[in-house]
Amino acid sequence: VPFLALIGLALALRLPDLGTFPYGFWYDEAAAGLAATRILNGLTPWPIWSPILAVSPHYHFVTAISISLFGPEITTIRMQAVLMGTSAVILSYLLFRRWFGMRLGLIAAGFWAALRYMIIWSRLGQDWISVLPFETAILLLFDLGLETKKLRYFAWAGLTMGVSIAFYYPNRLFVAVVLGYGLLLLAAWVIRRTAQRRMDGEAAAHAMPLRQAFGRGAAVV
């Protein structure tokens, strides 16, 4: 119930007056709307690229779907950011609940639901807000993969990371973060294996005199 209440809070802080606040229609929002319109009119060049904003237009494809369903309105163009901001609340709850328990999961979700700049970013029709839900989903899937050792979680994590690269630029930096973490895990595994082999070697060295003593005692008998 508290988790559902936080989702309701996130939507209540993002949906009302979506077409009028923030005031006006910002340049990047208008460019996203124009890019989505070009997609609907078959004017997007292939390979897929958005010449208006010089980025890959995956977010604009989502906007194009919204426009095709509900029309070219400011609210329609901003709705994708609302959904991404709310999904960040859901994913942060799932991740922090796994790491620290339900109480801190609710605190993390409430933090992202009510943080002021998160609310503003969730009400602007651009993909700036995409960083948080993508990175949280990647961490959650990798964590599930490391715990369960099931390849499907790693596959979904890799797919999510690949899709995230096509959204807002900082998502690309997170690839380096994950690779760095993977190198740390590999280094920890190598150190652990080396230490284990050294311990096994020392144990064998200490066992040799015992076996020799047993052999000599048996020979005496």
Side-chain angles (χ1 to χ4, degrees):
V1 172
F3 175 55
L4 294 177
L6 285 174
I7 296 177
L9 174 65
L11 292 173
L13 293 173
R14 288 160 174 79
L15 285 176
D17 301 321
L18 186 60
T20 57
F21 182 79
Y23 304 110
F25 198 38
W26 293 40
Y27 172 86
D28 287 341
E29 295 181 287
L34 290 173
T37 303
R38 290 175 61 89
I39 291 171
L40 293 174
N41 293 331
L43 299 177
T44 299
W46 294 83
I48 301 172
W49 185 253
S50 175
I52 296 176
L53 292 175
V55 296
S56 52
H58 292 64
Y59 181 84
H60 303 149
F61 272 95
V62 180
T63 305
I65 294 173
S66 182
I67 290 176
S68 66
L69 293 175
F70 305 108
E73 304 290 338
I74 296 178
T75 302
T76 303
I77 294 173
R78 290 177 171 176
M79 184 59 66
Q80 290 65 246
V82 171
L83 296 177
M84 286 188 173
T86 306
S87 65
V89 174
I90 298 172
L91 290 167
S92 61
Y93 167 75
L94 296 175
L95 179 64
F96 281 83
R97 186 186 66 175
R98 283 185 56 80
W99 284 353
F100 306 110
M102 182 175 292
R103 180 177 297 179
L104 282 179
L106 292 172
I107 292 174
F111 184 77
W112 292 127
L115 192 65
R116 182 174 181 178
Y117 80 84
M118 280 292 296
I119 297 172
I120 298 299
W121 280 19
S122 299
R123 296 176 66 97
L124 288 170
Q126 253 298 324
D127 60 350
W128 307 322
I129 191 64
S130 68
V131 176
L132 183 61
F134 271 120
E135 293 183 357
T136 309
I138 292 168
L139 288 173
L140 178 62
L141 290 168
F142 267 119
D143 189 53
L144 287 169
L146 290 171
E147 180 183 357
T148 63
K149 304 299 187 293
K150 293 181 178 179
L151 292 179
R152 67 172 179 267
Y153 290 119
F154 292 109
W156 279 109
L159 179 61
T160 304
M161 188 184 305
V163 173
S164 73
I165 295 174
F167 282 77
Y168 194 43
Y169 295 110
N171 285 312
R172 304 175 187 181
L173 299 176
F174 201 65
V175 176
V177 174
V178 173
L179 290 176
Y181 180 66
L183 291 175
L184 285 176
L185 287 179
L186 180 61
W189 180 81
V190 171
I191 292 172
R192 190 163 54 244
R193 291 283 295 178
T194 303
Q196 184 64 42
R197 289 178 180 177
R198 184 174 300 174
M199 291 176 61
D200 292 342
E202 291 177 355
H206 288 298
M208 284 297 293
L210 295 176
R211 288 198 295 269
Q212 291 175 359
F214 179 81
R216 291 177 182 176
V220 170
V221 173

